Amino acid sequence: MEIVNKISYFVLPCVVILVAIIILVEKRDYFSCFLRGAKGGLKSAFGLIPSMCALIIGVNMLFASGATEIITGFFAPLLEKIGVPSDILPLILTRPLSFGASLASFTDIVDRCGVDSLSALCASVIMSSTDTVFYVACVYFSSSEIKKTRYFLPVAL
């Protein structure tokens, strides 16, 4: 393990030196290539702002309205009957929408139930095996200007 640590100190400087050598040997204007890429990145970022604002406002409205508590209260008895802890329902509702909200739900579950409880273990699986579907759709479809998503949402959920 110590040899790996010693090697890791030299990897980044070697990569930087190798890139510098390639830039000097090839007669190409890499700075203008960088500027074109940065310009395209800024264009994509500005294109994402309206859809990101709509997503953030929608998620905040959902939580502020108390809809998550109503949905949790409605489905809790059903989940208990099939063996799913009702403590993880807020996480199930928030995970596709917002990473921050789902992380807060996850932390709350672990704090209330303990790290070795069934609820915390189920929440860990949910956090590690799912993604914020609506955020990913918002970012990727907005940046690539895809209008017809067809089966994306049912398949992703």
Side-chain angles (χ1 to χ4, degrees), residues 22-60:
I22 291 172
I23 289 173
L24 291 175
V25 169
E26 286 188 23
K27 299 297 180 188
R28 223 175 141 183
D29 189 10
Y30 286 98
F31 187 69
S32 65
C33 293
F34 168 76
L35 289 179
R36 272 187 277 141
K39 185 178 178 181
L42 284 174
K43 183 180 175 188
S44 295
F46 284 125
L48 289 174
I49 289 174
S51 53
M52 291 300 299
C53 287
L55 182 66
I56 290 169
I57 290 169
V59 168
N60 287 335

PDB file of all heavy atoms in Angstrom, residues 22-60:
ATOM      1  N   ILE A  22       3.219  17.357 -25.355  1.00  0.00           N
ATOM      2  CA  ILE A  22       2.352  17.174 -26.527  1.00  0.00           C
ATOM      3  C   ILE A  22       1.981  18.519 -27.129  1.00  0.00           C
ATOM      4  O   ILE A  22       1.979  18.689 -28.357  1.00  0.00           O
ATOM      5  CB  ILE A  22       1.094  16.362 -26.141  1.00  0.00           C
ATOM      6  CG1 ILE A  22       1.475  14.917 -25.829  1.00  0.00           C
ATOM      7  CG2 ILE A  22       0.050  16.421 -27.244  1.00  0.00           C
ATOM      8  CD1 ILE A  22       0.350  14.086 -25.253  1.00  0.00           C
ATOM      9  N   ILE A  23       1.679  19.498 -26.286  1.00  0.00           N
ATOM     10  CA  ILE A  23       1.325  20.830 -26.782  1.00  0.00           C
ATOM     11  C   ILE A  23       2.496  21.462 -27.514  1.00  0.00           C
ATOM     12  O   ILE A  23       2.322  22.103 -28.558  1.00  0.00           O
ATOM     13  CB  ILE A  23       0.839  21.726 -25.627  1.00  0.00           C
ATOM     14  CG1 ILE A  23      -0.539  21.255 -25.160  1.00  0.00           C
ATOM     15  CG2 ILE A  23       0.784  23.189 -26.030  1.00  0.00           C
ATOM     16  CD1 ILE A  23      -1.044  21.945 -23.920  1.00  0.00           C
ATOM     17  N   LEU A  24       3.703  21.292 -26.998  1.00  0.00           N
ATOM     18  CA  LEU A  24       4.877  21.892 -27.633  1.00  0.00           C
ATOM     19  C   LEU A  24       5.249  21.184 -28.929  1.00  0.00           C
ATOM     20  O   LEU A  24       5.702  21.829 -29.876  1.00  0.00           O
ATOM     21  CB  LEU A  24       6.054  21.879 -26.665  1.00  0.00           C
ATOM     22  CG  LEU A  24       5.926  22.814 -25.455  1.00  0.00           C
ATOM     23  CD1 LEU A  24       7.087  22.615 -24.509  1.00  0.00           C
ATOM     24  CD2 LEU A  24       5.827  24.263 -25.905  1.00  0.00           C
ATOM     25  N   VAL A  25       5.081  19.871 -28.979  1.00  0.00           N
ATOM     26  CA  VAL A  25       5.472  19.114 -30.167  1.00  0.00           C
ATOM     27  C   VAL A  25       4.492  19.344 -31.310  1.00  0.00           C
ATOM     28  O   VAL A  25       4.897  19.587 -32.443  1.00  0.00           O
ATOM     29  CB  VAL A  25       5.577  17.596 -29.838  1.00  0.00           C
ATOM     30  CG1 VAL A  25       5.724  16.770 -31.091  1.00  0.00           C
ATOM     31  CG2 VAL A  25       6.736  17.356 -28.901  1.00  0.00           C
ATOM     32  N   GLU A  26       3.183  19.256 -31.012  1.00  0.00           N
ATOM     33  CA  GLU A  26       2.190  19.505 -32.051  1.00  0.00           C
ATOM     34  C   GLU A  26       2.024  21.008 -32.235  1.00  0.00           C
ATOM     35  O   GLU A  26       1.952  21.758 -31.280  1.00  0.00           O
ATOM     36  CB  GLU A  26       0.842  18.889 -31.665  1.00  0.00           C
ATOM     37  CG  GLU A  26       0.807  17.398 -31.786  1.00  0.00           C
ATOM     38  CD  GLU A  26      -0.593  16.854 -31.582  1.00  0.00           C
ATOM     39  OE1 GLU A  26      -1.566  17.616 -31.781  1.00  0.00           O
ATOM     40  OE2 GLU A  26      -0.692  15.681 -31.229  1.00  0.00           O
ATOM     41  N   LYS A  27       1.937  21.419 -33.454  1.00  0.00           N
ATOM     42  CA  LYS A  27       1.773  22.838 -33.752  1.00  0.00           C
ATOM     43  C   LYS A  27       0.279  23.131 -33.941  1.00  0.00           C
ATOM     44  O   LYS A  27      -0.219  23.283 -35.041  1.00  0.00           O
ATOM     45  CB  LYS A  27       2.547  23.226 -35.016  1.00  0.00           C
ATOM     46  CG  LYS A  27       4.021  23.001 -34.911  1.00  0.00           C
ATOM     47  CD  LYS A  27       4.607  23.870 -33.827  1.00  0.00           C
ATOM     48  CE  LYS A  27       6.108  23.618 -33.752  1.00  0.00           C
ATOM     49  NZ  LYS A  27       6.723  24.245 -32.637  1.00  0.00           N
ATOM     50  N   ARG A  28      -0.437  23.190 -32.833  1.00  0.00           N
ATOM     51  CA  ARG A  28      -1.867  23.445 -32.849  1.00  0.00           C
ATOM     52  C   ARG A  28      -2.192  24.490 -31.798  1.00  0.00           C
ATOM     53  O   ARG A  28      -1.514  24.573 -30.780  1.00  0.00           O
ATOM     54  CB  ARG A  28      -2.608  22.157 -32.507  1.00  0.00           C
ATOM     55  CG  ARG A  28      -3.789  21.916 -33.371  1.00  0.00           C
ATOM     56  CD  ARG A  28      -4.419  20.607 -33.094  1.00  0.00           C
ATOM     57  NE  ARG A  28      -5.857  20.824 -33.191  1.00  0.00           N
ATOM     58  CZ  ARG A  28      -6.760  19.944 -32.971  1.00  0.00           C
ATOM     59  NH1 ARG A  28      -6.423  18.750 -32.589  1.00  0.00           N
ATOM     60  NH2 ARG A  28      -8.017  20.217 -33.100  1.00  0.00           N
ATOM     61  N   ASP A  29      -3.226  25.263 -32.048  1.00  0.00           N
ATOM     62  CA  ASP A  29      -3.599  26.306 -31.105  1.00  0.00           C
ATOM     63  C   ASP A  29      -4.601  25.733 -30.097  1.00  0.00           C
ATOM     64  O   ASP A  29      -5.807  25.775 -30.299  1.00  0.00           O
ATOM     65  CB  ASP A  29      -4.204  27.498 -31.857  1.00  0.00           C
ATOM     66  CG  ASP A  29      -4.413  28.693 -30.949  1.00  0.00           C
ATOM     67  OD1 ASP A  29      -3.917  28.660 -29.799  1.00  0.00           O
ATOM     68  OD2 ASP A  29      -5.070  29.647 -31.385  1.00  0.00           O
ATOM     69  N   TYR A  30      -4.072  25.160 -29.018  1.00  0.00           N
ATOM     70  CA  TYR A  30      -4.908  24.515 -28.024  1.00  0.00           C
ATOM     71  C   TYR A  30      -5.711  25.525 -27.203  1.00  0.00           C
ATOM     72  O   TYR A  30      -6.782  25.208 -26.712  1.00  0.00           O
ATOM     73  CB  TYR A  30      -4.065  23.643 -27.085  1.00  0.00           C
ATOM     74  CG  TYR A  30      -3.613  22.381 -27.744  1.00  0.00           C
ATOM     75  CD1 TYR A  30      -2.346  22.279 -28.298  1.00  0.00           C
ATOM     76  CD2 TYR A  30      -4.459  21.297 -27.841  1.00  0.00           C
ATOM     77  CE1 TYR A  30      -1.937  21.117 -28.914  1.00  0.00           C
ATOM     78  CE2 TYR A  30      -4.066  20.133 -28.452  1.00  0.00           C
ATOM     79  CZ  TYR A  30      -2.798  20.041 -28.988  1.00  0.00           C
ATOM     80  OH  TYR A  30      -2.408  18.894 -29.600  1.00  0.00           O
ATOM     81  N   PHE A  31      -5.197  26.723 -27.076  1.00  0.00           N
ATOM     82  CA  PHE A  31      -5.921  27.723 -26.305  1.00  0.00           C
ATOM     83  C   PHE A  31      -7.228  28.096 -26.988  1.00  0.00           C
ATOM     84  O   PHE A  31      -8.263  28.237 -26.334  1.00  0.00           O
ATOM     85  CB  PHE A  31      -5.049  28.957 -26.079  1.00  0.00           C
ATOM     86  CG  PHE A  31      -5.672  29.958 -25.156  1.00  0.00           C
ATOM     87  CD1 PHE A  31      -5.823  29.670 -23.804  1.00  0.00           C
ATOM     88  CD2 PHE A  31      -6.145  31.171 -25.629  1.00  0.00           C
ATOM     89  CE1 PHE A  31      -6.411  30.585 -22.944  1.00  0.00           C
ATOM     90  CE2 PHE A  31      -6.732  32.090 -24.777  1.00  0.00           C
ATOM     91  CZ  PHE A  31      -6.863  31.788 -23.430  1.00  0.00           C
ATOM     92  N   SER A  32      -7.214  28.238 -28.304  1.00  0.00           N
ATOM     93  CA  SER A  32      -8.459  28.564 -29.006  1.00  0.00           C
ATOM     94  C   SER A  32      -9.437  27.391 -28.939  1.00  0.00           C
ATOM     95  O   SER A  32     -10.650  27.594 -28.857  1.00  0.00           O
ATOM     96  CB  SER A  32      -8.187  28.958 -30.462  1.00  0.00           C
ATOM     97  OG  SER A  32      -7.675  27.855 -31.175  1.00  0.00           O
ATOM     98  N   CYS A  33      -8.922  26.151 -28.941  1.00  0.00           N
ATOM     99  CA  CYS A  33      -9.793  24.983 -28.758  1.00  0.00           C
ATOM    100  C   CYS A  33     -10.430  25.023 -27.372  1.00  0.00           C
ATOM    101  O   CYS A  33     -11.626  24.734 -27.213  1.00  0.00           O
ATOM    102  CB  CYS A  33      -9.007  23.688 -28.929  1.00  0.00           C
ATOM    103  SG  CYS A  33      -8.402  23.404 -30.591  1.00  0.00           S
ATOM    104  N   PHE A  34      -9.643  25.379 -26.376  1.00  0.00           N
ATOM    105  CA  PHE A  34     -10.169  25.505 -25.021  1.00  0.00           C
ATOM    106  C   PHE A  34     -11.241  26.579 -24.945  1.00  0.00           C
ATOM    107  O   PHE A  34     -12.292  26.381 -24.336  1.00  0.00           O
ATOM    108  CB  PHE A  34      -9.028  25.821 -24.051  1.00  0.00           C
ATOM    109  CG  PHE A  34      -9.500  26.253 -22.696  1.00  0.00           C
ATOM    110  CD1 PHE A  34      -9.990  25.325 -21.794  1.00  0.00           C
ATOM    111  CD2 PHE A  34      -9.468  27.589 -22.317  1.00  0.00           C
ATOM    112  CE1 PHE A  34     -10.430  25.714 -20.542  1.00  0.00           C
ATOM    113  CE2 PHE A  34      -9.904  27.996 -21.080  1.00  0.00           C
ATOM    114  CZ  PHE A  34     -10.383  27.046 -20.184  1.00  0.00           C
ATOM    115  N   LEU A  35     -10.991  27.721 -25.575  1.00  0.00           N
ATOM    116  CA  LEU A  35     -11.966  28.809 -25.556  1.00  0.00           C
ATOM    117  C   LEU A  35     -13.267  28.416 -26.243  1.00  0.00           C
ATOM    118  O   LEU A  35     -14.350  28.756 -25.766  1.00  0.00           O
ATOM    119  CB  LEU A  35     -11.372  30.062 -26.199  1.00  0.00           C
ATOM    120  CG  LEU A  35     -10.284  30.767 -25.402  1.00  0.00           C
ATOM    121  CD1 LEU A  35      -9.767  31.974 -26.171  1.00  0.00           C
ATOM    122  CD2 LEU A  35     -10.786  31.170 -24.040  1.00  0.00           C
ATOM    123  N   ARG A  36     -13.177  27.681 -27.371  1.00  0.00           N
ATOM    124  CA  ARG A  36     -14.392  27.223 -28.047  1.00  0.00           C
ATOM    125  C   ARG A  36     -15.180  26.267 -27.150  1.00  0.00           C
ATOM    126  O   ARG A  36     -16.408  26.339 -27.071  1.00  0.00           O
ATOM    127  CB  ARG A  36     -14.048  26.543 -29.365  1.00  0.00           C
ATOM    128  CG  ARG A  36     -13.974  27.524 -30.519  1.00  0.00           C
ATOM    129  CD  ARG A  36     -13.793  26.807 -31.835  1.00  0.00           C
ATOM    130  NE  ARG A  36     -12.349  26.535 -31.931  1.00  0.00           N
ATOM    131  CZ  ARG A  36     -11.811  25.426 -32.406  1.00  0.00           C
ATOM    132  NH1 ARG A  36     -12.561  24.468 -32.864  1.00  0.00           N
ATOM    133  NH2 ARG A  36     -10.515  25.283 -32.454  1.00  0.00           N
ATOM    134  N   GLY A  37     -14.493  25.379 -26.467  1.00  0.00           N
ATOM    135  CA  GLY A  37     -15.169  24.457 -25.558  1.00  0.00           C
ATOM    136  C   GLY A  37     -15.803  25.173 -24.382  1.00  0.00           C
ATOM    137  O   GLY A  37     -16.928  24.846 -23.973  1.00  0.00           O
ATOM    138  N   ALA A  38     -15.095  26.159 -23.830  1.00  0.00           N
ATOM    139  CA  ALA A  38     -15.646  26.921 -22.712  1.00  0.00           C
ATOM    140  C   ALA A  38     -16.867  27.722 -23.155  1.00  0.00           C
ATOM    141  O   ALA A  38     -17.853  27.823 -22.421  1.00  0.00           O
ATOM    142  CB  ALA A  38     -14.576  27.857 -22.146  1.00  0.00           C
ATOM    143  N   LYS A  39     -16.829  28.255 -24.358  1.00  0.00           N
ATOM    144  CA  LYS A  39     -17.974  28.996 -24.893  1.00  0.00           C
ATOM    145  C   LYS A  39     -19.183  28.078 -25.047  1.00  0.00           C
ATOM    146  O   LYS A  39     -20.306  28.447 -24.695  1.00  0.00           O
ATOM    147  CB  LYS A  39     -17.597  29.622 -26.234  1.00  0.00           C
ATOM    148  CG  LYS A  39     -18.657  30.497 -26.831  1.00  0.00           C
ATOM    149  CD  LYS A  39     -18.154  31.095 -28.143  1.00  0.00           C
ATOM    150  CE  LYS A  39     -19.210  31.950 -28.787  1.00  0.00           C
ATOM    151  NZ  LYS A  39     -18.745  32.502 -30.062  1.00  0.00           N
ATOM    152  N   GLY A  40     -18.962  26.866 -25.545  1.00  0.00           N
ATOM    153  CA  GLY A  40     -20.057  25.902 -25.678  1.00  0.00           C
ATOM    154  C   GLY A  40     -20.606  25.480 -24.325  1.00  0.00           C
ATOM    155  O   GLY A  40     -21.816  25.291 -24.159  1.00  0.00           O
ATOM    156  N   GLY A  41     -19.720  25.332 -23.336  1.00  0.00           N
ATOM    157  CA  GLY A  41     -20.157  24.985 -21.993  1.00  0.00           C
ATOM    158  C   GLY A  41     -21.006  26.068 -21.360  1.00  0.00           C
ATOM    159  O   GLY A  41     -22.016  25.780 -20.713  1.00  0.00           O
ATOM    160  N   LEU A  42     -20.613  27.317 -21.544  1.00  0.00           N
ATOM    161  CA  LEU A  42     -21.407  28.431 -21.015  1.00  0.00           C
ATOM    162  C   LEU A  42     -22.756  28.527 -21.711  1.00  0.00           C
ATOM    163  O   LEU A  42     -23.773  28.802 -21.066  1.00  0.00           O
ATOM    164  CB  LEU A  42     -20.645  29.748 -21.164  1.00  0.00           C
ATOM    165  CG  LEU A  42     -19.512  29.962 -20.169  1.00  0.00           C
ATOM    166  CD1 LEU A  42     -18.744  31.228 -20.495  1.00  0.00           C
ATOM    167  CD2 LEU A  42     -20.057  30.024 -18.758  1.00  0.00           C
ATOM    168  N   LYS A  43     -22.782  28.252 -23.013  1.00  0.00           N
ATOM    169  CA  LYS A  43     -24.046  28.273 -23.748  1.00  0.00           C
ATOM    170  C   LYS A  43     -24.983  27.198 -23.196  1.00  0.00           C
ATOM    171  O   LYS A  43     -26.169  27.450 -22.992  1.00  0.00           O
ATOM    172  CB  LYS A  43     -23.791  28.048 -25.235  1.00  0.00           C
ATOM    173  CG  LYS A  43     -25.015  28.111 -26.088  1.00  0.00           C
ATOM    174  CD  LYS A  43     -24.675  27.880 -27.548  1.00  0.00           C
ATOM    175  CE  LYS A  43     -25.956  27.832 -28.365  1.00  0.00           C
ATOM    176  NZ  LYS A  43     -25.682  27.434 -29.748  1.00  0.00           N
ATOM    177  N   SER A  44     -24.452  26.017 -22.929  1.00  0.00           N
ATOM    178  CA  SER A  44     -25.268  24.935 -22.356  1.00  0.00           C
ATOM    179  C   SER A  44     -25.755  25.304 -20.958  1.00  0.00           C
ATOM    180  O   SER A  44     -26.913  25.046 -20.604  1.00  0.00           O
ATOM    181  CB  SER A  44     -24.470  23.635 -22.284  1.00  0.00           C
ATOM    182  OG  SER A  44     -24.155  23.175 -23.561  1.00  0.00           O
ATOM    183  N   ALA A  45     -24.884  25.898 -20.159  1.00  0.00           N
ATOM    184  CA  ALA A  45     -25.260  26.270 -18.792  1.00  0.00           C
ATOM    185  C   ALA A  45     -26.377  27.313 -18.797  1.00  0.00           C
ATOM    186  O   ALA A  45     -27.329  27.204 -18.023  1.00  0.00           O
ATOM    187  CB  ALA A  45     -24.043  26.805 -18.039  1.00  0.00           C
ATOM    188  N   PHE A  46     -26.281  28.307 -19.660  1.00  0.00           N
ATOM    189  CA  PHE A  46     -27.341  29.317 -19.728  1.00  0.00           C
ATOM    190  C   PHE A  46     -28.643  28.722 -20.254  1.00  0.00           C
ATOM    191  O   PHE A  46     -29.727  29.150 -19.873  1.00  0.00           O
ATOM    192  CB  PHE A  46     -26.920  30.511 -20.587  1.00  0.00           C
ATOM    193  CG  PHE A  46     -25.961  31.424 -19.898  1.00  0.00           C
ATOM    194  CD1 PHE A  46     -24.750  31.733 -20.467  1.00  0.00           C
ATOM    195  CD2 PHE A  46     -26.261  31.972 -18.658  1.00  0.00           C
ATOM    196  CE1 PHE A  46     -23.859  32.575 -19.820  1.00  0.00           C
ATOM    197  CE2 PHE A  46     -25.380  32.814 -18.006  1.00  0.00           C
ATOM    198  CZ  PHE A  46     -24.171  33.114 -18.595  1.00  0.00           C
ATOM    199  N   GLY A  47     -28.552  27.730 -21.111  1.00  0.00           N
ATOM    200  CA  GLY A  47     -29.747  27.073 -21.618  1.00  0.00           C
ATOM    201  C   GLY A  47     -30.456  26.242 -20.555  1.00  0.00           C
ATOM    202  O   GLY A  47     -31.661  26.003 -20.630  1.00  0.00           O
ATOM    203  N   LEU A  48     -29.722  25.810 -19.537  1.00  0.00           N
ATOM    204  CA  LEU A  48     -30.299  24.997 -18.466  1.00  0.00           C
ATOM    205  C   LEU A  48     -31.015  25.817 -17.401  1.00  0.00           C
ATOM    206  O   LEU A  48     -31.830  25.276 -16.653  1.00  0.00           O
ATOM    207  CB  LEU A  48     -29.199  24.189 -17.771  1.00  0.00           C
ATOM    208  CG  LEU A  48     -28.587  23.051 -18.555  1.00  0.00           C
ATOM    209  CD1 LEU A  48     -27.423  22.463 -17.774  1.00  0.00           C
ATOM    210  CD2 LEU A  48     -29.609  21.988 -18.844  1.00  0.00           C
ATOM    211  N   ILE A  49     -30.733  27.074 -17.302  1.00  0.00           N
ATOM    212  CA  ILE A  49     -31.252  27.898 -16.209  1.00  0.00           C
ATOM    213  C   ILE A  49     -32.784  27.890 -16.126  1.00  0.00           C
ATOM    214  O   ILE A  49     -33.321  27.663 -15.043  1.00  0.00           O
ATOM    215  CB  ILE A  49     -30.687  29.333 -16.293  1.00  0.00           C
ATOM    216  CG1 ILE A  49     -29.199  29.315 -15.933  1.00  0.00           C
ATOM    217  CG2 ILE A  49     -31.438  30.275 -15.368  1.00  0.00           C
ATOM    218  CD1 ILE A  49     -28.490  30.628 -16.123  1.00  0.00           C
ATOM    219  N   PRO A  50     -33.529  28.083 -17.213  1.00  0.00           N
ATOM    220  CA  PRO A  50     -34.997  28.089 -17.062  1.00  0.00           C
ATOM    221  C   PRO A  50     -35.559  26.757 -16.560  1.00  0.00           C
ATOM    222  O   PRO A  50     -36.410  26.740 -15.665  1.00  0.00           O
ATOM    223  CB  PRO A  50     -35.505  28.389 -18.476  1.00  0.00           C
ATOM    224  CG  PRO A  50     -34.371  29.017 -19.176  1.00  0.00           C
ATOM    225  CD  PRO A  50     -33.134  28.458 -18.571  1.00  0.00           C
ATOM    226  N   SER A  51     -35.082  25.654 -17.111  1.00  0.00           N
ATOM    227  CA  SER A  51     -35.619  24.365 -16.670  1.00  0.00           C
ATOM    228  C   SER A  51     -35.187  24.037 -15.248  1.00  0.00           C
ATOM    229  O   SER A  51     -35.958  23.438 -14.482  1.00  0.00           O
ATOM    230  CB  SER A  51     -35.210  23.260 -17.638  1.00  0.00           C
ATOM    231  OG  SER A  51     -33.824  23.247 -17.839  1.00  0.00           O
ATOM    232  N   MET A  52     -34.002  24.427 -14.844  1.00  0.00           N
ATOM    233  CA  MET A  52     -33.558  24.192 -13.471  1.00  0.00           C
ATOM    234  C   MET A  52     -34.376  25.025 -12.489  1.00  0.00           C
ATOM    235  O   MET A  52     -34.745  24.545 -11.419  1.00  0.00           O
ATOM    236  CB  MET A  52     -32.069  24.518 -13.313  1.00  0.00           C
ATOM    237  CG  MET A  52     -31.151  23.567 -14.030  1.00  0.00           C
ATOM    238  SD  MET A  52     -31.334  21.887 -13.453  1.00  0.00           S
ATOM    239  CE  MET A  52     -30.881  22.070 -11.766  1.00  0.00           C
ATOM    240  N   CYS A  53     -34.673  26.261 -12.853  1.00  0.00           N
ATOM    241  CA  CYS A  53     -35.508  27.099 -11.985  1.00  0.00           C
ATOM    242  C   CYS A  53     -36.893  26.492 -11.822  1.00  0.00           C
ATOM    243  O   CYS A  53     -37.435  26.451 -10.710  1.00  0.00           O
ATOM    244  CB  CYS A  53     -35.622  28.510 -12.556  1.00  0.00           C
ATOM    245  SG  CYS A  53     -34.131  29.486 -12.382  1.00  0.00           S
ATOM    246  N   ALA A  54     -37.475  26.013 -12.920  1.00  0.00           N
ATOM    247  CA  ALA A  54     -38.802  25.392 -12.847  1.00  0.00           C
ATOM    248  C   ALA A  54     -38.768  24.148 -11.961  1.00  0.00           C
ATOM    249  O   ALA A  54     -39.680  23.931 -11.152  1.00  0.00           O
ATOM    250  CB  ALA A  54     -39.286  25.034 -14.245  1.00  0.00           C
ATOM    251  N   LEU A  55     -37.735  23.334 -12.079  1.00  0.00           N
ATOM    252  CA  LEU A  55     -37.617  22.131 -11.270  1.00  0.00           C
ATOM    253  C   LEU A  55     -37.469  22.465  -9.783  1.00  0.00           C
ATOM    254  O   LEU A  55     -38.145  21.884  -8.929  1.00  0.00           O
ATOM    255  CB  LEU A  55     -36.423  21.288 -11.735  1.00  0.00           C
ATOM    256  CG  LEU A  55     -36.204  19.975 -11.016  1.00  0.00           C
ATOM    257  CD1 LEU A  55     -37.354  19.026 -11.296  1.00  0.00           C
ATOM    258  CD2 LEU A  55     -34.895  19.358 -11.436  1.00  0.00           C
ATOM    259  N   ILE A  56     -36.631  23.426  -9.467  1.00  0.00           N
ATOM    260  CA  ILE A  56     -36.411  23.809  -8.067  1.00  0.00           C
ATOM    261  C   ILE A  56     -37.687  24.391  -7.462  1.00  0.00           C
ATOM    262  O   ILE A  56     -38.064  24.055  -6.328  1.00  0.00           O
ATOM    263  CB  ILE A  56     -35.231  24.800  -7.969  1.00  0.00           C
ATOM    264  CG1 ILE A  56     -33.926  24.071  -8.275  1.00  0.00           C
ATOM    265  CG2 ILE A  56     -35.165  25.442  -6.592  1.00  0.00           C
ATOM    266  CD1 ILE A  56     -32.736  24.984  -8.463  1.00  0.00           C
ATOM    267  N   ILE A  57     -38.371  25.251  -8.209  1.00  0.00           N
ATOM    268  CA  ILE A  57     -39.610  25.840  -7.704  1.00  0.00           C
ATOM    269  C   ILE A  57     -40.670  24.764  -7.489  1.00  0.00           C
ATOM    270  O   ILE A  57     -41.364  24.752  -6.473  1.00  0.00           O
ATOM    271  CB  ILE A  57     -40.107  26.945  -8.663  1.00  0.00           C
ATOM    272  CG1 ILE A  57     -39.174  28.148  -8.591  1.00  0.00           C
ATOM    273  CG2 ILE A  57     -41.541  27.354  -8.342  1.00  0.00           C
ATOM    274  CD1 ILE A  57     -39.410  29.183  -9.664  1.00  0.00           C
ATOM    275  N   GLY A  58     -40.789  23.842  -8.426  1.00  0.00           N
ATOM    276  CA  GLY A  58     -41.767  22.767  -8.297  1.00  0.00           C
ATOM    277  C   GLY A  58     -41.516  21.883  -7.091  1.00  0.00           C
ATOM    278  O   GLY A  58     -42.443  21.533  -6.347  1.00  0.00           O
ATOM    279  N   VAL A  59     -40.265  21.522  -6.864  1.00  0.00           N
ATOM    280  CA  VAL A  59     -39.918  20.679  -5.706  1.00  0.00           C
ATOM    281  C   VAL A  59     -40.201  21.431  -4.403  1.00  0.00           C
ATOM    282  O   VAL A  59     -40.783  20.868  -3.465  1.00  0.00           O
ATOM    283  CB  VAL A  59     -38.440  20.234  -5.781  1.00  0.00           C
ATOM    284  CG1 VAL A  59     -37.977  19.628  -4.482  1.00  0.00           C
ATOM    285  CG2 VAL A  59     -38.251  19.251  -6.913  1.00  0.00           C
ATOM    286  N   ASN A  60     -39.818  22.681  -4.339  1.00  0.00           N
ATOM    287  CA  ASN A  60     -40.076  23.463  -3.124  1.00  0.00           C
ATOM    288  C   ASN A  60     -41.575  23.640  -2.869  1.00  0.00           C
ATOM    289  O   ASN A  60     -42.011  23.591  -1.714  1.00  0.00           O
ATOM    290  CB  ASN A  60     -39.384  24.822  -3.205  1.00  0.00           C
ATOM    291  CG  ASN A  60     -37.889  24.700  -3.028  1.00  0.00           C
ATOM    292  OD1 ASN A  60     -37.410  23.757  -2.415  1.00  0.00           O
ATOM    293  ND2 ASN A  60     -37.149  25.636  -3.575  1.00  0.00           N
TER     294      ASN A  60
END
